[in-house]
Amino acid sequence: MTKALEIREGSWVALGPEASEIRRVVFIEEQRVPREEEWDGRDDDCHHFLALLEGRPVGTARLLPDAHIGRVAVLAEARGRGIGAALMVAAIDAAYRLGHPAVELAAQTHALAFYARLGFIPFGDEFLDAGIPHRNMRLSLAGR
């Protein structure tokens, strides 16, 4: 992980402008997720995480009230530096602080190994979300 990496945690009001731009680039432009699917109206109710590399916003994630982690995105030029893992650790730690017994997510199938390295276990069948193959994954927070 890069020393100049900072992870901020906050509300959509505080982190939304930067987080929404990252999500627009990664999901809407790069992955062709329809705008109406990306902007699901749930951001105001979530804990948000923003990764800054040398002060520049490069990644984001959110923790929903039901302990689902989602919208994990890192700009292409910043990938491979541990930023996604740092965002996930921040979201998992927040879920633990909030008293959740576990966290879940819907992983794009190409990212299953990434989440497995963090301790997530896949369950259920593969499904399409925004035309992209996904699988549900779960991480128990018991004994942390």
Side-chain angles (χ1 to χ4, degrees):
M1 190 174 359
T2 307
K3 285 189 181 196
L5 180 63
E6 175 190 356
I7 305 292
R8 291 187 186 158
E9 179 179 346
S11 67
W12 186 243
V13 170
L15 303 180
E18 293 94 346
S20 63
E21 178 60 13
I22 294 164
R23 285 167 48 183
R24 183 189 66 76
V25 169
V26 172
F27 296 126
I28 296 171
E29 289 183 11
E30 188 179 316
Q31 297 184 354
R32 305 281 186 234
V33 171
R35 257 183 183 69
E36 62 274 10
E37 289 188 44
E38 176 56 30
W39 307 120
D40 61 3
R42 301 182 76 185
D43 286 312
D44 286 338
D45 298 326
C46 297
H47 276 74
H48 292 271
F49 305 88
L50 186 69
L52 296 103
L53 186 61
E54 297 175 1
R56 182 172 162 261
V58 295
T60 188
R62 74 180 186 184
L63 176 66
L64 284 91
D66 66 359
H68 275 76
I69 297 171
R71 302 305 198 266
V72 180
V74 176
L75 295 175
E77 65 268 19
R79 292 180 192 148
R81 299 182 186 190
I83 295 167
L87 284 163
M88 288 299 301
V89 167
I92 292 163
D93 288 349
Y96 181 76
R97 280 195 324 269
L98 292 167
H100 294 291
V103 287
E104 292 187 4
L105 53 81
Q108 294 182 6
T109 55
H110 72 84
L112 287 171
F114 166 77
Y115 294 113
R117 284 192 298 274
L118 293 166
F120 283 83
I121 298 168
F123 68 91
D125 295 327
E126 187 175 298
F127 61 94
L128 290 179
D129 186 4
I132 301 167
H134 283 71
R135 278 205 63 202
N136 286 317
M137 300 186 84
R138 183 176 196 274
L139 173 68
S140 172
L141 300 179
R144 272 183 72 91

